[in-house]
Each structure stands twice: as structure tokens, then as C-alpha cells.
Amino acid sequence: MRNLLILILVVAGIWWVQRAIARAKERAAEAGRTGRKKGGRAVASPERIIECAHCGLNVPESEGVRDGDRFYCSDAHRIAGPRAD
């Protein structure tokens, strides 16, 4: 009976180690596809911060709205147009 229990524990241990190795390989492959560095952090490029033509608020370019060569922080400010100085 004792030998059977030891055999079951050994088989379970081998199975657990194989799954852990497979998960580690999967994570490494996923990190390679997403452009991550070896340390696990994503490589982020800096984003431009642009001033709103209406209110003067500095907003990341991806969060604002463009109208020709002018940049606005929201669609409402784009509709309102540039501020009158």
C-alpha cells in the first residue's frame, strides 16, 4: 500500500513539473509576440502631449481630436473652435 502511494505521488509530481514547464514556455512565447523585454516589462514609446487649441489643456495625442492642423482635447472643443485671444 505504501509503495502504491509513493508511486502515485511520484507520477503526480512529474505531471505537475511538466505542466509548469509548459506554462513557462507558453508565457515566454507570448512575451515574445507582444514585444516585451526579457524582464517582463512592455517596451513603451513616449507619446506626444499637445495643447488644446480651445482651452489650452495639455492632452496625450491619442486622447484628443484633430481638425486639420489644429488639436483639441474633446469633440465639444473642436466644434467650439479655437479660443479667441
Side-chain angles (χ1 to χ4, degrees):
M1 185 67 170
R2 188 179 111 204
N3 289 339
L4 181 62
L5 181 60
I6 291 173
L7 179 65
I8 291 172
L9 288 175
V10 167
V11 169
I14 291 171
W15 176 79
W16 181 79
V17 168
Q18 286 178 341
R19 286 196 32 102
I21 291 171
R23 279 187 297 230
K25 286 181 181 178
E26 189 175 298
R27 283 189 205 128
E30 183 179 318
R33 286 191 302 266
T34 59
R36 292 182 176 230
K37 282 185 173 179
K38 222 175 189 180
R41 293 190 204 177
V43 178
S45 59
E47 186 172 2
R48 288 181 18 172
I49 304 294
I50 305 175
E51 182 179 354
C52 175
H54 181 77
C55 67
L57 181 69
N58 292 316
V59 180
E61 188 173 20
S62 65
E63 294 180 20
V65 181
R66 284 207 174 270
D67 185 21
D69 62 338
R70 292 195 172 101
F71 181 81
Y72 299 95
C73 63
S74 66
D75 200 38
H77 282 187
R78 182 189 60 79
I79 292 169
R83 65 177 161 223
D85 290 325

